[in-house]
Amino acid sequence: MIDLKQIKEISIRSPSKIALVIIDGLGGLPHPETRKTELETAQTPNLDYLAKRGICGLVEPISPGITPGSAPAHLALFGYDPFRFTIGRGILEALGIDFPLQEEDVAARGNFCTINDEGIVQDRRAGRISTERCLELCQQLGQIRIDEVQLWVSPVKEHRFVMVFRGGNLSPELDDSDPQQVGVRPNQIVALSPEARKTAALANEFITKAKAILANSYPANMVLLRGFSRHPRFPSMSEVYKLKPVAIVTYPMYRGLAKLVGMEVVDSGDSIEEEFTALTQHFATHDFFFLHVKQTDTAGEDGDFWGKVRVIEEVDAALPQLIDLQPEVIMVTGDHSTPTLLKAHSWHPVPFLLCSQFCRPDDVAEFSERACAKGSLGRFPALEVMPLALANALKLTKFGA
Amino acid sequence: MIDLKQIKEISIRSPSKIALVIIDGLGGLPHPETRKTELETAQTPNLDYLAKRGICGLVEPISPGITPGSAPAHLALFGYDPFRFTIGRGILEALGIDFPLQEEDVAARGNFCTINDEGIVQDRRAGRISTERCLELCQQLGQIRIDEVQLWVSPVKEHRFVMVFRGGNLSPELDDSDPQQVGVRPNQIVALSPEARKTAALANEFITKAKAILANSYPANMVLLRGFSRHPRFPSMSEVYKLKPVAIVTYPMYRGLAKLVGMEVVDSGDSIEEEFTALTQHFATHDFFFLHVKQTDTAGEDGDFWGKVRVIEEVDAALPQLIDLQPEVIMVTGDHSTPTLLKAHSWHPVPFLLCSQFCRPDDVAEFSERACAKGSLGRFPALEVMPLALANALKLTKFGA
């Protein structure tokens, strides 16, 4: 398949506009009684209208059978091969809490854990302490002073936190202190390159000081660090596709992902309707619109079938705002499936529709898993979405003479 | 996917015969009034008969969303990965005018252009001078003598020409003189490897002499060269597939492409019917038949919907000549789509049919974009066409034990 470098050579700037609506965790599984999925159950006249006018298929987010995390699934839809464009665990957690990362920062994912008197790990999650307790402990660790660097310790959820170093000459090439098992001592942090020796020393200093501070905080009496990483430098969508992209998103993680590929992230309101209104407000000044709906995934993870149905209907009701703007290309899909039956992300391919003046419509007249399976796009990799969108917006020139 | 080297290991010579009819620019888009494409509009009883007896699908020429040039699109159908088997611009232009290239020739694509008194490029195309004027100027430049090499300057169309050097120790590793923008001077040609230094000097000498000759030929008072290249050495189809292939083609570019992959190119007449007759005449002596129909693409680029419909019907009417020969495998497809609605090549996948005794027919009973989308081959890469053809002709042995 064509790669970003080759796409860059044939992409051209033009006034046409592309909208990509990602309904998080859109795909589902049939309800045991009705035999219909969440999407098949929802009343979606506007999605059906777009499906009828457009082409449909089922997107494979990463690779068949593979359940994606949100980060690689989104990157793939934006055209970035998730096997090549990887994001370190520390950075991913920092994006997830909207930490204002700078380019040279080194971030690590942290766990509060329980050790015994001999320093041996007994519980890697410190009994999953409450998020409130995590916040208190992070404030204590935030008082730690380490020469030459600035330090942040920010709570995530339960036993999870993010540690960020900022300062001169840092390197993320460090091994984890987290041994990933109980019954052993945490690892001393080791530099994986000569340049990382100083950072390793600083990280070990942090751990020593943290251990002292947490001595009386059983069960959270120690920390484990892993996934030291730095903000990756991805080519921007403006660079590769010559687009001026804007992200309409409400959750921190997705804001971070959008920034990673060079999207402008704007104030998006709270409700789904407000998100579509925000898109309307930026329509004149941009030519690529990523609108993200989170609530479907949340309902899916909660196992709330009817809640997910309602969110899909809410998206459908807000769609006319977008349709009325008449962008040259409208796409609707999900980053992955989150069937309420599984209460989790899953590997199932995701319904996809693309509507444009030049898309050569197929016979699909309804937006659903079953109908999309019969669409002319068939089952296809997420990485094909952006080239298809650019082609339909007439933003690609010929390959070869 | 399997590559040419692996195919070579399992291909066997056998008496069975394969015919590949490429209807250039075959795929289309629905007419705004009838909602039917050119192919869906045409009366095609013979194509429908083959579709019904065979298997169908939609071919992706290069990569989804990518609009192919004719060269990479044909190479892919012949089984040559167009990302790997590339052809330099100069050679491609030379093939396009049927220039009798030799292996060691170095060719460049030339533009007549306009420079001002300070030597700055004002128009990279010299106001698109007429083809007649181009011919006159090429004859003048053809008089240039350069030590040690033979030189040809051959007109292409309007401001375009091909320059070919033949002689000892030439190298195509040269940068362009064409700056690809106005407002700057043409570049001095630079050798990209030590071996190319001599060729760079010769090319610069040519440019200096051309400039002197063209001094009074405003607006065509200078030349720009780009895409220095040598005839690539591709493994031949006889070598890889153990076939004895013949090309029935009427346009120079496609004759050149066929020669590149080792096909014998024979006299093909002028009309579509004559092409099929030519195939008949070579049927006994060859086992692979590439028959190319150009007129569909031309009608598509002219925006002539009904003209394209008529050409498709003409192909259909000539098909019985081929069907009556009973080759073991008949395939019909296009190298890409050229919808009359767009008046240009496009990215849309192309209808494909394969008919053989062993093809496990699907339910498709009509040769059209919409029907092929439901074929058992689905949407599939052009690179899969040759392995499929060889398999159906029983020309491939088992892979692995």
Side-chain angles (χ1 to χ4, degrees):
Chain A
M1 227 196 78
I2 201 153
D3 65 19
L4 287 189
K5 212 177 135 194
Q6 290 161 324
I7 285 275
K8 184 179 171 179
E9 277 173 32
I10 56 173
S11 66
I12 49 171
R13 202 178 303 281
S14 83
S16 59
K17 292 174 194 286
I18 300 170
L20 170 62
V21 177
I22 299 186
I23 306 175
D24 205 304
L26 174 65
L29 283 172
H31 191 285
E33 279 161 29
T34 64
R35 301 274 160 207
K36 286 182 171 184
T37 67
E38 301 87 329
L39 180 58
E40 284 161 8
T41 305
Q43 297 293 316
T44 55
N46 296 303
L47 286 166
D48 296 345
Y49 163 80
L50 290 174
K52 189 168 185 176
R53 290 189 42 190
I55 42 173
C56 293
L58 289 174
V59 171
E60 283 289 1
I62 304 292
S63 186
I66 304 308
T67 296
S70 295
H74 273 79
L75 285 180
L77 286 171
F78 301 149
Y80 294 71
D81 182 349
F83 292 112
R84 240 196 94 202
F85 294 93
T86 54
I87 308 173
R89 186 76 213 190
I91 292 296
L92 208 52
E93 294 285 344
L95 293 177
I97 57 163
D98 224 2
F99 187 92
L101 283 170
Q102 293 188 6
E103 255 197 15
E104 298 301 315
D105 293 351
V106 168
R109 152 76 185 266
N111 271 16
F112 288 105
C113 71
T114 311
I115 53 171
N116 67 13
D117 290 345
E118 282 139 26
I120 288 174
V121 179
Q122 292 183 304
D123 181 346
R124 284 183 56 250
R125 296 177 186 86
R128 290 189 187 272
I129 52 167
S130 71
T131 303
E132 293 71 36
R133 182 68 180 136
C134 179
L135 178 60
E136 290 167 15
L137 295 174
C138 284
Q139 279 169 343
Q140 293 178 27
L141 298 191
Q143 308 303 319
I144 293 175
R145 293 286 162 266
I146 293 177
D147 280 352
E148 297 180 57
V149 292
Q150 282 182 279
L151 169 74
W152 287 266
V153 181
S154 304
V156 178
K157 198 183 169 187
E158 299 175 340
H159 55 282
R160 306 179 189 93
F161 65 88
V162 176
M163 190 213 66
V164 178
F165 279 153
R166 182 174 298 163
N169 281 323
L170 295 175
S171 163
E173 296 177 358
L174 305 177
D175 209 352
D176 300 342
S177 83
D178 188 343
Q180 298 277 359
Q181 54 177 314
V182 294
V184 297
R185 288 196 173 74
N187 300 318
Q188 188 74 356
I189 286 178
V190 176
L192 300 174
S193 75
E195 297 75 39
R197 275 188 206 135
K198 179 181 136 190
T199 319
L202 300 175
N204 285 318
E205 183 183 340
F206 168 76
I207 292 171
T208 307
K209 290 181 172 170
K211 188 180 175 188
I213 289 173
L214 298 171
N216 296 318
S217 303
Y218 181 89
N221 61 0
M222 182 52 167
V223 295
L224 299 175
L225 299 179
R226 63 188 159 108
F228 285 89
S229 43
R230 178 167 282 164
H231 203 278
R233 291 186 204 176
F234 295 168
S236 73
M237 290 180 80
S238 339
E239 213 178 299
V240 177
Y241 305 129
K242 306 185 182 75
L243 291 169
K244 200 172 170 209
V246 62
I248 318 284
V249 289
T250 55
Y251 269 56
M253 155 80 117
Y254 306 93
R255 275 202 291 273
L257 282 171
K259 283 183 205 159
L260 259 182
V261 294
M263 292 192 204
E264 186 182 339
V265 177
V266 294
D267 187 19
S268 307
D270 292 315
S271 71
I272 292 170
E273 204 191 333
E274 283 169 8
E275 287 192 73
F276 279 87
T277 305
L279 193 159
T280 307
Q281 287 158 354
H282 293 87
F283 194 71
T285 48
H286 295 74
D287 56 12
F288 183 88
F289 308 88
F290 158 44
L291 188 148
H292 180 258
V293 174
K294 176 66 182 171
Q295 296 91 322
T296 24
D297 182 55
T298 311
E301 298 213 323
D302 290 347
D304 179 3
F305 189 93
W306 295 101
K308 191 171 163 191
V309 169
R310 274 194 306 275
V311 178
I312 294 170
E313 291 181 344
E314 209 180 323
V315 176
D316 191 82
L319 263 178
Q321 285 200 64
L322 172 59
I323 296 172
D324 289 348
L325 293 170
Q326 303 186 359
E328 276 71 8
V329 177
I330 295 180
M331 298 183 288
V332 182
T333 187
D335 54 341
H336 53 75
S337 296
T338 306
T340 45
L341 200 64
L342 289 170
K343 295 187 179 183
H345 290 197
S346 79
W347 64 91
H348 303 86
V350 191
F352 173 92
L353 72 81
L354 180 151
C355 191
S356 92
Q357 191 188 343
F358 304 116
C359 69
R360 194 199 274 165
D362 52 27
D363 290 340
V364 177
E366 181 196 341
F367 192 53
S368 74
E369 287 84 351
R370 227 171 284 240
C372 286
K374 294 181 183 156
S376 65
L377 288 170
R379 195 167 54 92
F380 70 104
L383 279 177
E384 294 180 4
V385 166
M386 277 305 297
L388 207 59
L390 294 164
N392 274 279
L394 306 184
K395 287 179 187 290
L396 292 181
T397 59
K398 215 156 47 172
F399 174 84
Chain B
M1 230 194 77
I2 200 154
D3 66 18
L4 288 188
K5 212 176 136 193
Q6 292 162 323
I7 285 275
K8 183 178 173 180
E9 278 174 30
I10 57 171
S11 66
I12 50 171
R13 202 177 306 280
S14 84
S16 60
K17 292 174 193 287
I18 299 169
L20 170 62
V21 177
I22 299 186
I23 306 176
D24 205 305
L26 173 64
L29 282 173
H31 191 287
E33 278 162 30
T34 64
R35 302 270 161 207
K36 288 181 169 186
T37 67
E38 301 87 329
L39 180 58
E40 284 161 7
T41 305
Q43 297 292 316
T44 55
N46 296 302
L47 287 167
D48 295 346
Y49 164 81
L50 291 174
K52 190 168 184 175
R53 289 188 43 189
I55 42 173
C56 292
L58 288 174
V59 172
E60 283 288 1
I62 303 292
S63 185
I66 303 308
T67 296
S70 295
H74 272 80
L75 286 179
L77 286 171
F78 300 150
Y80 294 71
D81 181 349
F83 290 115
R84 241 196 94 201
F85 294 94
T86 54
I87 308 173
R89 185 79 213 190
I91 292 296
L92 208 55
E93 294 284 344
L95 294 177
I97 57 164
D98 225 1
F99 187 93
L101 282 170
Q102 294 188 7
E103 256 197 13
E104 298 303 313
D105 293 352
V106 168
R109 152 76 186 265
N111 270 17
F112 288 106
C113 72
T114 311
I115 54 171
N116 67 11
D117 290 346
E118 282 139 27
I120 288 174
V121 178
Q122 292 183 302
D123 181 347
R124 284 184 56 248
R125 297 177 185 88
R128 291 189 185 274
I129 52 167
S130 71
T131 304
E132 295 71 36
R133 182 70 179 135
C134 179
L135 178 62
E136 291 167 16
L137 295 175
C138 284
Q139 279 170 344
Q140 294 177 27
L141 299 191
Q143 308 304 318
I144 293 174
R145 293 287 161 264
I146 293 177
D147 280 353
E148 298 181 56
V149 292
Q150 282 183 280
L151 169 75
W152 288 266
V153 181
S154 302
V156 178
K157 198 182 167 188
E158 298 175 340
H159 55 282
R160 307 179 189 94
F161 64 87
V162 175
M163 190 213 65
V164 179
F165 279 153
R166 181 175 298 164
N169 281 325
L170 295 175
S171 163
E173 294 177 358
L174 304 178
D175 209 351
D176 300 343
S177 84
D178 188 342
Q180 298 277 358
Q181 53 176 318
V182 294
V184 297
R185 289 196 172 72
N187 300 317
Q188 187 76 354
I189 286 178
V190 176
L192 300 174
S193 75
E195 298 74 40
R197 276 189 204 132
K198 179 181 134 190
T199 319
L202 299 176
N204 284 318
E205 183 183 340
F206 167 77
I207 291 171
T208 307
K209 289 181 172 168
K211 188 179 175 188
I213 289 173
L214 298 172
N216 296 318
S217 302
Y218 181 89
N221 61 359
M222 182 52 167
V223 295
L224 299 175
L225 300 179
R226 62 187 160 110
F228 285 90
S229 43
R230 178 167 283 163
H231 203 279
R233 291 186 204 174
F234 294 168
S236 73
M237 288 180 80
S238 338
E239 213 178 301
V240 177
Y241 304 128
K242 306 187 181 75
L243 291 169
K244 199 172 170 209
V246 62
I248 319 284
V249 289
T250 54
Y251 269 56
M253 154 82 117
Y254 306 93
R255 275 201 291 273
L257 283 171
K259 284 183 203 158
L260 260 183
V261 294
M263 292 192 202
E264 185 181 340
V265 177
V266 294
D267 187 19
S268 307
D270 292 315
S271 71
I272 292 170
E273 203 190 336
E274 284 170 9
E275 287 191 72
F276 279 86
T277 305
L279 192 159
T280 307
Q281 288 158 355
H282 293 86
F283 195 71
T285 49
H286 294 75
D287 57 11
F288 183 88
F289 308 88
F290 158 44
L291 188 149
H292 180 256
V293 174
K294 176 67 181 171
Q295 295 90 322
T296 25
D297 182 54
T298 311
E301 297 214 324
D302 290 347
D304 179 3
F305 189 93
W306 296 101
K308 191 171 163 190
V309 170
R310 274 193 305 276
V311 178
I312 295 170
E313 291 181 343
E314 209 180 322
V315 176
D316 191 81
L319 263 178
Q321 286 198 66
L322 172 59
I323 297 172
D324 289 347
L325 294 170
Q326 301 185 0
E328 275 72 7
V329 177
I330 295 180
M331 297 182 290
V332 182
T333 187
D335 54 342
H336 54 75
S337 295
T338 307
T340 44
L341 199 64
L342 289 170
K343 296 186 179 186
H345 291 196
S346 79
W347 64 91
H348 302 88
V350 192
F352 173 92
L353 72 82
L354 181 151
C355 191
S356 92
Q357 192 187 341
F358 306 115
C359 69
R360 194 200 279 165
D362 52 27
D363 289 340
V364 177
E366 180 196 341
F367 193 53
S368 75
E369 287 85 352
R370 224 172 282 244
C372 286
K374 294 179 184 160
S376 65
L377 289 170
R379 196 166 55 93
F380 70 104
L383 279 176
E384 294 180 4
V385 165
M386 277 306 296
L388 206 60
L390 295 164
N392 275 279
L394 306 184
K395 286 179 187 291
L396 292 181
T397 59
K398 214 154 46 172
F399 174 85

